[in-house]
Amino acid sequence: MPASAGLRFRAACPGDAHAIAGLHADSWQRHYRGAYSDAFLDNDAAGYLLPLWTGRLASPDPQARTILAEHDGEVVGLAHTILGQDATWGAFLDNLHVAHGLKRQGIGTRLLALTGQAVLDASPPSGLYLWVLEQNSDARAFYATRGGACTERGEVPPPGGDPQLNGKPMSLRYAWRDPSKLLLAGRP
Ligand SMILES: CC(C)(COP(=O)(O)OP(=O)(O)OC[C@H]1O[C@@H](n2cnc3c(N)ncnc32)[C@H](O)[C@@H]1OP(=O)(O)O)[C@@H](O)C(=O)NCCC(=O)NCCS
């Protein structure tokens, strides 16, 4: 299905928590296996993410920006960013996920461009960074294509406690000193 028809982008609102948590959990189950434990992914991830998103959207952090992609009324992508998170690297893109069946159709690029625009709109504008699992070679290829620089390697923080991780998985920081570089690629 070509994604461009029927696709729109908007800010998330409290009523989106269930849809976002479902998409987020499905994406974790497909792409974080091996780094996060099977028990956590299969039994607890959805129950962890629903209250997280319900809380995030019910009382939004003024520094947070949650942008959704919607296709024919269904949430098919999300980008969640905290502005001004790091004095050196700037805004932190905490979550970026596209529905499995709609990957590689430009949705992630547009979400990244809208995130870059949100960072530029903030005062003062800053850089943008994220952490990606080292094992996630597809996402790393995507960030490299979008101009991100891999600047650092570090241990993955567990999403709520050590039993949720398998061993000590590693992640990589990707950074954009100038988020305006993201805007051109995200034009429809
Ligand atoms: C990573 C992700 C957000 C990218 O979004 P997307 O909508 O699939 O990406 P786009 O279609 O906008 O851009 C894809 C482009 O990235 C580049 N790219 C290179 N290798 C790639 C790969 N293995 N996978 C995806 N993109 C790749 C290409 O330029 C590609 O364009 P092409 O398909 O025309 O060759 C999405 O695939 C996703 O949700 N993955 C699972 C969750 C995840 O890993 N999130 C990141 C957590 S840090």
Side-chain angles (χ1 to χ4, degrees), residues 45 52-53 70 125 160 169:
L52 175 78
W53 281 105
E70 213 175 39

PDB file of all heavy atoms in Angstrom, residues 45 52-53 70 125 160 169:
ATOM      1  N   ALA A  45       5.784  -5.741  28.040  1.00  0.00           N
ATOM      2  CA  ALA A  45       6.055  -4.486  27.322  1.00  0.00           C
ATOM      3  C   ALA A  45       4.783  -3.660  27.141  1.00  0.00           C
ATOM      4  O   ALA A  45       4.781  -2.449  27.396  1.00  0.00           O
ATOM      5  CB  ALA A  45       6.710  -4.787  25.973  1.00  0.00           C
ATOM      6  N   LEU A  52       2.778   4.441  30.566  1.00  0.00           N
ATOM      7  CA  LEU A  52       3.782   5.452  30.211  1.00  0.00           C
ATOM      8  C   LEU A  52       3.180   6.495  29.266  1.00  0.00           C
ATOM      9  O   LEU A  52       3.270   7.705  29.496  1.00  0.00           O
ATOM     10  CB  LEU A  52       4.990   4.768  29.548  1.00  0.00           C
ATOM     11  CG  LEU A  52       6.062   5.714  29.028  1.00  0.00           C
ATOM     12  CD1 LEU A  52       6.931   6.221  30.167  1.00  0.00           C
ATOM     13  CD2 LEU A  52       6.938   5.038  27.978  1.00  0.00           C
ATOM     14  N   TRP A  53       2.532   6.021  28.190  1.00  0.00           N
ATOM     15  CA  TRP A  53       1.960   6.950  27.207  1.00  0.00           C
ATOM     16  C   TRP A  53       0.733   7.666  27.737  1.00  0.00           C
ATOM     17  O   TRP A  53       0.509   8.850  27.430  1.00  0.00           O
ATOM     18  CB  TRP A  53       1.655   6.197  25.903  1.00  0.00           C
ATOM     19  CG  TRP A  53       2.892   5.996  25.093  1.00  0.00           C
ATOM     20  CD1 TRP A  53       3.593   4.842  24.925  1.00  0.00           C
ATOM     21  CD2 TRP A  53       3.619   7.006  24.385  1.00  0.00           C
ATOM     22  NE1 TRP A  53       4.700   5.072  24.151  1.00  0.00           N
ATOM     23  CE2 TRP A  53       4.743   6.386  23.801  1.00  0.00           C
ATOM     24  CE3 TRP A  53       3.429   8.369  24.189  1.00  0.00           C
ATOM     25  CZ2 TRP A  53       5.670   7.092  23.027  1.00  0.00           C
ATOM     26  CZ3 TRP A  53       4.349   9.071  23.422  1.00  0.00           C
ATOM     27  CH2 TRP A  53       5.455   8.430  22.856  1.00  0.00           C
ATOM     28  N   GLU A  70      -0.535   9.437  10.675  1.00  0.00           N
ATOM     29  CA  GLU A  70      -1.828   8.765  10.657  1.00  0.00           C
ATOM     30  C   GLU A  70      -2.134   8.390   9.212  1.00  0.00           C
ATOM     31  O   GLU A  70      -1.934   9.212   8.312  1.00  0.00           O
ATOM     32  CB  GLU A  70      -2.877   9.750  11.170  1.00  0.00           C
ATOM     33  CG  GLU A  70      -3.998   9.149  11.939  1.00  0.00           C
ATOM     34  CD  GLU A  70      -4.903  10.249  12.494  1.00  0.00           C
ATOM     35  OE1 GLU A  70      -5.139  11.252  11.791  1.00  0.00           O
ATOM     36  OE2 GLU A  70      -5.366  10.092  13.622  1.00  0.00           O
ATOM     37  N   PRO A 125      17.263  27.404  19.398  1.00  0.00           N
ATOM     38  CA  PRO A 125      17.351  26.130  18.695  1.00  0.00           C
ATOM     39  C   PRO A 125      18.606  25.373  19.111  1.00  0.00           C
ATOM     40  O   PRO A 125      19.561  25.969  19.589  1.00  0.00           O
ATOM     41  CB  PRO A 125      17.419  26.525  17.217  1.00  0.00           C
ATOM     42  CG  PRO A 125      17.791  27.957  17.198  1.00  0.00           C
ATOM     43  CD  PRO A 125      17.398  28.544  18.500  1.00  0.00           C
ATOM     44  N   GLY A 160      13.205   0.127  33.211  1.00  0.00           N
ATOM     45  CA  GLY A 160      12.530  -0.097  34.483  1.00  0.00           C
ATOM     46  C   GLY A 160      13.180  -1.135  35.379  1.00  0.00           C
ATOM     47  O   GLY A 160      12.699  -1.357  36.481  1.00  0.00           O
ATOM     48  N   PRO A 169      23.376  -5.144  26.624  1.00  0.00           N
ATOM     49  CA  PRO A 169      23.322  -4.663  25.234  1.00  0.00           C
ATOM     50  C   PRO A 169      23.866  -3.239  25.137  1.00  0.00           C
ATOM     51  O   PRO A 169      23.789  -2.474  26.100  1.00  0.00           O
ATOM     52  CB  PRO A 169      21.834  -4.714  24.896  1.00  0.00           C
ATOM     53  CG  PRO A 169      21.123  -4.713  26.200  1.00  0.00           C
ATOM     54  CD  PRO A 169      22.048  -5.348  27.195  1.00  0.00           C
TER      55      PRO A 169
END
